[in-house]
Amino acid sequence: MRRGILTIATVGLLVTGGVTACGDDSGSDNDAGSDKKPKIGVILPDSKSSGRWENADRKFLEAAFKKAGVDYDIQNAQDDKNQFQTIADQMITGGVTALMIVNLDSGTGKAVLDKAKSQGVATIDYDRLTLGGSAEYYVSFDNEVVGKLQGEGLSKCLTDKGVKKPVVAYLNGSPTDNNATLFKNGYDSVLKPKFDSGEYVKGPEQSVPAWDNAQGATLFEQMLTQTGGKIDGVLAANDGLGNAAISVLKKNKLNGKVPVTGQDADVQGLQNILAGDQCMTVYKAIKQEADAAAELAIGLAKGERKETGQTVKDPEGGRDVPSVLLTPKLIFKENVKDVVADGFVTKEALCTAEYAKLCTEAGIS
């Protein structure tokens, strides 16, 4: 797994919403944006690893662009690196003045960002930083904090179950996604001291290529076999991988007995929490992320630059990338209702027949 570590520079306060304009940057490579009709291209990574990309990010980005009255083109690379590059080429040729990407890996992302820059197209890294890249902004959540919340959540669930010297297995995210490295840095900061002290026992660990849930299930089944069924907690890097582990635990009649983590607060993950099969998730208010990125993209598309008041260090490129980092939230069964109240998921989607009673018990109205 790539071990790039992002550090937040002490440049002003953490931005949690909008950004402030600081006027046009006449010396920028993006002056071309002011000579052409503003148009924004967005490349999403896939629709398999998480429902968020199509169900949330696309929706909120579209709404922001429509409200601003700018042309846009949002496409999904479906975890295909060749398709990712083809879409980027088409967008650049098609006249986008700003390009926002969620990279599939830093190598492919860097190639796309560098080509866009050479053509005078402004760029933004959305959700994932492209290591060694040239994006003018990075918009995401504080991903080490996401991982820390996962570690804290799992620790609480194990304590609640009264497990002594629990064996904890890791299902990490994709080894080509820098966010997966950051998540692991976060949960290691909580769990490694417990492994070192002997309070917890480190179990099997695997990184799941391309966040593929089917591979995640296969890998976790192998872990369970390898340990003779002795796994007491699962640090799964997102809700999709959490559900993959839960599917294996169900086959072995261990669901609800073994705490499993997640992140994204998708419908499936929240339903698993209501059912007691998943102990927690991390809620990231995608609308805030999409709105912040859209505001920056709209400015760049018009040849304008905005000040974020914050930077993140790219350890491979050695540069400080102007950034917006948002704050995630820990979700247990008792506050699943907060995700619904925020409008991220609807009661209708969450509280289907078998979950209706559980929703009522959890105060979801």
Side-chain angles (χ1 to χ4, degrees):
M1 177 176 284
R2 178 173 286 169
R3 289 286 179 181
I5 299 175
L6 305 186
T7 55
I8 304 169
T10 55
V11 185
L13 298 174
L14 180 68
V15 178
T16 56
V19 289
T20 57
C22 65
D24 293 356
D25 180 358
S26 57
S28 167
D29 291 336
N30 303 319
D31 291 344
S34 59
D35 299 329
K36 297 189 289 186
K37 183 179 180 182
K39 183 179 180 180
I40 300 167
V42 179
I43 310 178
L44 300 175
D46 66 83
S47 56
K48 185 170 65 172
S49 66
S50 174
R52 62 164 286 187
W53 303 115
E54 289 296 330
N55 298 331
D57 296 87
R58 179 187 288 271
K59 175 179 69 175
F60 294 132
L61 288 168
E62 284 182 342
F65 296 147
K66 286 178 180 176
K67 183 177 179 180
V70 297
D71 289 343
Y72 64 90
D73 180 11
I74 302 177
Q75 296 191 46
N76 195 313
Q78 298 299 355
D79 197 38
D80 185 321
K81 295 178 186 178
N82 292 328
Q83 181 67 4
F84 188 94
Q85 292 180 307
T86 297
I87 291 171
D89 288 343
Q90 291 171 345
M91 287 182 172
I92 293 169
T93 302
V96 298
T97 53
L99 178 64
M100 184 190 307
I101 70 165
V102 186
N103 71 58
L104 298 180
D105 64 78
S106 284
T108 307
K110 183 180 186 306
V112 164
L113 294 172
D114 289 348
K115 182 168 186 178
K117 183 178 181 180
S118 74
Q119 300 296 313
V121 176
T123 54
I124 294 175
D125 273 331
Y126 183 65
D127 200 72
R128 299 171 183 168
L129 183 69
T130 301
L131 299 181
S134 55
E136 288 163 71
Y137 296 107
Y138 168 52
V139 181
S140 189
F141 286 80
D142 189 324
N143 292 307
E144 288 202 0
V145 172
V146 171
K148 184 177 180 183
L149 292 178
Q150 290 175 310
E152 291 172 349
L154 182 60
S155 181
K156 178 182 184 301
C157 294
L158 288 168
T159 298
D160 289 348
K161 287 189 175 295
V163 185
K164 302 298 183 184
K165 294 183 74 71
V167 176
V168 176
Y170 280 12
L171 270 180
N172 302 317
S174 173
T176 60
D177 180 357
N178 187 61
N179 280 2
T181 301
L182 298 176
F183 301 146
K184 186 177 186 305
N185 289 344
Y187 47 77
D188 269 345
S189 72
V190 176
L191 299 177
K192 189 175 183 300
K194 295 181 182 293
F195 297 140
D196 292 345
S197 70
E199 182 182 354
Y200 289 4
V201 177
K202 181 67 180 293
E205 175 176 1
Q206 290 285 347
S207 295
V208 182
W211 294 92
D212 185 273
N213 297 328
Q215 288 192 62
T218 299
L219 290 169
F220 183 69
E221 192 151 31
Q222 293 169 354
M223 290 181 186
L224 203 61
T225 300
Q226 173 188 339
T227 60
K230 177 57 178 173
I231 291 177
D232 301 303
V234 183
L235 196 302
N238 74 352
D239 288 341
L241 296 179
N243 189 66
I246 290 166
S247 69
V248 175
L249 292 170
K250 283 181 176 178
K251 287 198 301 183
N252 291 272
K253 295 183 170 43
L254 292 171
N255 58 303
K257 299 176 182 177
V258 177
V260 179
T261 68
Q263 95 169 266
D264 289 337
D266 64 21
V267 168
Q268 187 174 62
L270 294 175
Q271 288 177 335
N272 283 337
I273 291 173
L274 291 173
D277 293 333
Q278 183 171 324
C279 78
M280 55 72 67
T281 189
V282 178
Y283 171 47
K284 300 182 292 188
I286 305 301
K287 185 177 187 303
Q288 293 179 23
E289 184 182 19
D291 285 349
E295 184 177 350
L296 291 172
I298 292 163
L300 289 177
K302 295 178 178 179
E304 302 168 357
R305 292 191 61 82
K306 296 175 183 288
E307 178 60 52
T308 64
Q310 188 176 15
T311 64
V312 160
K313 175 70 76 175
D314 173 358
E316 288 197 8
R319 68 190 184 102
D320 295 321
V321 185
S323 302
V324 176
L325 293 185
L326 300 156
T327 304
K329 182 175 182 178
L330 187 54
I331 299 294
F332 295 102
K333 186 172 184 177
E334 56 265 26
N335 63 337
V336 166
K337 59 181 179 292
D338 293 350
V339 183
V340 179
D342 206 33
F344 184 69
V345 301
T346 65
K347 179 184 176 182
E348 291 71 26
L350 181 63
C351 305
T352 52
E354 60 195 291
Y355 298 99
K357 182 180 178 182
L358 295 172
C359 280
T360 299
E361 292 172 354
I364 299 168
S365 57

